[in-house]
């Protein structure tokens, strides 16, 4: 017998679907499972569905879009916009299946505090009774019950959630022979002479899937860390500008702050409002970046030397490599002293596009 059953109500002749479920977890934990992109993929949908987030920006006006892939390989894309996001209390959002673009429902989720437990009330309002009935006929009941059970399992076990502190992520493009830039790096050649193919997945050869990966990384990032050499290049005459910066051509108004690890602050900074300088070590850089990230990822974007230093110091949680199909034969290595013996990796995700293999690993500690 299910300890906390899920009740689904769809009265005949009405355009509503209502769901009620109690959980042995406080509202804050349920709310986080609803709004943290990494946790959402662990429960939203039936157990036999593979879920891939394209974007998930859980704030008023923020958009979401995700793909459900069934066991036969069929993909269904869903999207919507968040309207109300009140921490621990209520979420209101639109919901739309891209296969039926004329049917948009308004969904709400209310988290009722039961003194350490939570009663979750959800209500979906459809444009017509016919649209509601079509949703029921599609098999949504199984999907809801599976999702609520999975949410209960996730919420009941706090160890399954991501730590409150931001993850530290090394995110860097690399050649097949381990170089993150070609020889000849200077202010004129940020990737070295002939190193442009390393970033082809971001620029000339970018596919829609590459664009999804780039945008998700950008929206998941709350703060950035870079080394002094990388700063000198991006703040140089051929570096970043009002349109191009972290995330390449993403909206720079929403760009996260950048923390530069350096021995001394530069005398002049062209893009001064974007950068903060850390002169007291790697641990301090992580502490300051986490304080600014608001729970989002802290991304170490390079260069190779600083990424290697953070990995060797045991400060990295995730290693994300965009492996470009090119052999450089020299340049800046991600591991200039060889692969650290203590570095153990657990694969999390692999996405293949023509210009890169996007590989994500958890750093085992």
């Amino acid at each position: 017998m299910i300890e906390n059953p899920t009740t689904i109500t769809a009265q005949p002749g009405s355009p509503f679907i209502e769901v009620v479920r109690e959980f042995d977890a406080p509202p804050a934990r349920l709310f986080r499972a609803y709004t943290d992109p990494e946790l959402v993929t662990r429960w939203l949908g039936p157990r036999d569905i593979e879920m891939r987030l394209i974007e998930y920006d859980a704030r008023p006006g923020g958009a979401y879009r995700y793909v459900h892939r069934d066991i036969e390989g069929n993909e269904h894309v869903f999207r919507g916009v968040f309207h109300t996001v009140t921490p621990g209390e209520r979420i209101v959002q639109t919901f739309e299946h891209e296969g039926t673009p004329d049917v948009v429902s308004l969904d709400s989720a209310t988290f009722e505090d039961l003194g350490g437990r939570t009663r979750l009330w959800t209500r979906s309002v459809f444009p017509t009774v016919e649209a509601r009935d079509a949703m029921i006929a599609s098999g949504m009941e199984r999907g809801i019950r599976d999702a609520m059970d999975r949410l209960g399992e996730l919420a009941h076990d706090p160890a399954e959630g991501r730590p409150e502190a931001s993850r530290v992520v090394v995110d860097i493009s690399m050649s097949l022979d381990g170089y993150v830039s070609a020889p000849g790096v200077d202010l004129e050649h940020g990737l070295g002479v002939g190193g442009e193919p390393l970033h082809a997945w971001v620029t000339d050869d970018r596919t829609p899937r590459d664009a999804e990966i780039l945008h998700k990384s950008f929206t998941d990032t709350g703060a950035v860390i870079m080394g002094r050499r990388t700063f000198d290049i991006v703040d140089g005459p051929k570096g970043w500008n009002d349109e191009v910066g972290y995330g390449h051509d993403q909206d720079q108004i929403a760009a996260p702050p950048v923390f530069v690890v350096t021995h001394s602050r530069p005398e002049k900074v062209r893009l001064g409002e974007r950068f903060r300088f850390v002169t007291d070590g790697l641990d301090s850089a992580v502490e300051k970046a986490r304080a600014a990230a608001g729970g989002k990822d802290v991304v170490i974007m390079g260069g190779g030397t600083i990424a290697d230093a953070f990995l060797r110091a045991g400060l990295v949680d995730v290693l994300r490599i965009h492996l470009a199909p090119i052999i450089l034969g020299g340049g800046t290595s991600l591991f200039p002293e060889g692969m650290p013996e203590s570095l153990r990796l657990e694969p999390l995700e692999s996405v293949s596009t023509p210009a890169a293999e996007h590989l994500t690993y958890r750093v085992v500690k």
Side-chain angles (χ1 to χ4, degrees), residues 92-112:
V92 179
Q93 65 197 77
T94 59
F95 176 85
E96 177 182 358
H97 175 221
E98 291 191 359
T100 53
D102 295 330
V103 178
V104 181
S105 65
L106 184 65
D107 295 357
S108 62
T110 302
F111 305 85
E112 180 184 355

Side-chain angles (χ1 to χ4, degrees), residues 23 34 44 57 70 84 152 164 185 227:
F23 295 89
Y34 256 79
L44 186 55
D57 187 6
D70 64 27
T84 301
E164 292 294 338
V185 172

Side-chain angles (χ1 to χ4, degrees), residues 54 64-66 76-79 96-102:
I54 299 172
Y64 71 89
R65 188 165 179 253
Y66 61 85
H76 302 275
V77 184
F78 303 91
R79 66 184 178 189
E96 177 182 358
H97 175 221
E98 291 191 359
T100 53
D102 295 330

Side-chain angles (χ1 to χ4, degrees), residues 25-271:
R29 193 178 300 164
L30 269 294
F31 182 85
R32 183 163 168 249
Y34 256 79
T35 56
D36 185 324
E38 189 168 295
L39 299 184
V40 167
T41 59
R42 302 186 188 185
W43 70 269
L44 186 55
R47 295 183 187 276
D48 57 355
I49 291 291
E50 175 188 339
M51 181 176 182
R52 172 167 55 87
L53 284 185
I54 299 172
E55 61 179 325
Y56 201 86
D57 187 6
R59 60 185 176 85
Y64 71 89
R65 188 165 179 253
Y66 61 85
V67 179
H68 274 168
R69 182 184 177 91
D70 64 27
I71 57 177
E72 296 177 351
N74 301 308
E75 293 192 345
H76 302 275
V77 184
F78 303 91
R79 66 184 178 189
V81 175
F82 291 97
H83 290 263
T84 301
V85 182
T86 305
E89 296 181 8
R90 183 173 170 81
I91 297 171
V92 179
Q93 65 197 77
T94 59
F95 176 85
E96 177 182 358
H97 175 221
E98 291 191 359
T100 53
D102 295 330
V103 178
V104 181
S105 65
L106 184 65
D107 295 357
S108 62
T110 302
F111 305 85
E112 180 184 355
D113 191 349
L114 301 178
R117 301 177 67 251
T118 305
R119 180 178 292 121
L120 174 66
W121 304 75
T122 75
R123 179 180 174 93
S124 298
V125 182
F126 292 83
T128 64
V129 174
E130 292 75 19
R132 195 283 308 266
D133 291 345
M135 176 62 73
I136 294 173
S138 71
M140 52 75 65
E141 181 176 352
R142 181 182 74 88
I144 289 176
R145 294 191 187 280
D146 249 12
M148 290 294 101
D149 289 346
R150 296 174 71 196
L151 178 59
E153 294 161 8
L154 179 64
H156 187 66
D157 183 3
E160 287 296 316
R162 194 170 79 188
E164 292 294 338
S166 300
R167 300 183 309 170
V168 177
V169 181
V170 168
D171 189 314
I172 199 162
S173 297
M174 187 177 75
S175 68
L176 293 175
D177 51 348
Y179 294 100
V180 298
S181 66
V185 172
D186 56 27
L187 296 182
E188 297 290 320
H189 307 88
L191 291 173
V193 178
E196 290 77 11
L198 288 169
H199 286 182
W201 70 273
V202 175
T203 56
D204 297 341
D205 297 336
R206 180 163 62 183
T207 66
R209 188 71 177 98
D210 291 317
E212 291 173 7
I213 292 169
L214 181 65
H215 182 67
K216 184 177 187 304
S217 176
F218 181 82
T219 57
D220 284 353
T221 303
V224 176
I225 295 175
M226 66 173 57
R228 176 59 182 269
R229 189 182 189 193
T230 301
F231 162 76
D232 288 339
I233 292 169
V234 301
D235 196 54
K238 291 195 173 182
W240 291 353
N241 54 46
D242 290 341
E243 287 75 38
V244 175
Y246 177 71
H248 189 57
D249 55 359
Q250 304 297 300
D251 181 7
Q252 294 306 302
I253 294 176
V258 179
F259 293 81
V260 181
V261 179
T262 179
H263 293 296
S264 61
R265 182 184 176 91
E267 294 182 4
K268 294 178 63 178
V269 181
R270 182 173 62 88
L271 302 170

